[in-house]
Amino acid sequence: VRAMGKKAPLDSRGDAADGPKRKREARPEDAIPDLPENQDARDFLKNAPSKGLWLPFGKEVKVMKCWRCKQYGHRTGDRECPMREMGNQSNEKKRRVLYDPMASMMEKKAQKREARREARRERQLDNIARYQRLLEEERVKRDQQRNQKMLEKAAKKAKKKKKKKKAKDSSSEDSSSSSSDSSSSSSDT
């Protein structure tokens, strides 16, 4: 092809298509299948540096497959796994107790603390209800006493009015009888 004076076509790496094939370096993203669910991990690893002991971009590179969700870039139980909380919950709980007994002890302690708080809240609500009942009873008693006093005052006023009326009636009768007595006495003279 070069003998004819034409340039040979180039492949995607810039090598001549008919030239010697160079061995391509193994990149971490090559270990991950090219599937849509793995695209994020592949894109990250494609741009990440492949040499050195440091973490690229300050992010941990994990070329591993999750057993639960079958995606690459994290392991079973990692936060990134969409199926992290799924699975046999009783087995997971037993496993957590076995591998991390302190966490289970702290969880039990937190549950007891929450139960105590809930009991305290219940007692407070009961006390509030009791105090409200007592206040309501006191208010009713006060209202009854106030009503009783008002009725007593009204009864006293009514008695006074009756007495005044009787006294007025009796004085008017006395004055009318005395005036009739005086008229009769004046006619006698």
Side-chain angles (χ1 to χ4, degrees):
V1 175
R2 289 188 187 199
M4 296 171 50
K6 291 184 178 178
K7 290 186 177 178
L10 301 176
D11 66 357
S12 63
R13 287 181 284 172
D15 293 336
D18 60 344
K21 298 282 182 188
R22 279 192 284 159
K23 189 174 183 183
R24 187 169 177 238
E25 289 181 29
R27 302 272 309 174
E29 72 266 12
D30 295 336
I32 301 174
D34 191 16
L35 297 173
E37 61 265 10
N38 300 328
Q39 194 60 38
D40 291 336
R42 285 182 59 80
D43 289 343
F44 174 74
L45 291 172
K46 190 183 297 181
N47 299 326
S50 60
K51 294 185 180 176
L53 297 175
W54 49 277
L55 298 176
F57 310 118
K59 192 171 178 183
E60 187 177 357
V61 179
K62 297 179 185 174
V63 182
M64 55 192 70
K65 186 176 182 180
C66 177
W67 290 1
R68 285 189 182 173
C69 67
K70 308 299 185 222
Q71 293 179 7
Y72 285 82
H74 63 270
R75 291 180 282 196
T76 301
D78 284 353
R79 273 188 230 166
E80 299 91 36
C81 182
M83 299 178 76
R84 175 174 60 125
E85 294 296 324
M86 295 180 185
N88 189 344
Q89 294 297 325
S90 63
N91 284 347
E92 287 294 315
K93 194 177 254 185
K94 288 176 187 174
R95 183 188 62 77
R96 268 188 252 127
V97 169
L98 181 65
Y99 289 132
D100 193 6
M102 194 66 188
S104 64
M105 288 170 50
M106 295 302 288
E107 188 176 322
K108 285 180 184 177
K109 192 174 183 179
Q111 288 173 349
K112 285 181 183 178
R113 189 179 315 123
E114 186 59 34
R116 283 195 306 266
R117 283 183 187 155
E118 189 63 33
R120 188 181 318 132
R121 276 189 226 120
E122 288 294 323
R123 284 194 309 267
Q124 288 173 345
L125 290 174
D126 289 344
N127 286 340
I128 289 170
R130 189 179 65 203
Y131 290 137
Q132 285 177 342
R133 280 194 309 270
L134 289 173
L135 287 172
E136 184 65 27
E137 289 172 4
E138 285 293 320
R139 189 183 62 76
V140 167
K141 282 182 185 178
R142 249 185 293 133
D143 288 346
Q144 287 176 349
Q145 288 174 351
R146 199 176 295 143
N147 290 341
Q148 186 67 30
K149 285 181 182 179
M150 287 174 54
L151 289 174
E152 288 173 1
K153 281 185 180 180
K156 282 182 181 179
K157 282 185 179 180
K159 278 185 180 180
K160 279 185 179 181
K161 278 187 178 180
K162 277 186 180 180
K163 281 185 181 181
K164 279 187 179 180
K165 200 174 189 181
K166 278 185 183 180
K168 194 176 188 181
D169 287 341
S170 65
S171 68
S172 67
E173 282 179 17
D174 288 343
S175 64
S176 66
S177 65
S178 65
S179 66
S180 62
D181 287 341
S182 62
S183 64
S184 64
S185 66
S186 61
S187 57
D188 287 340
T189 47

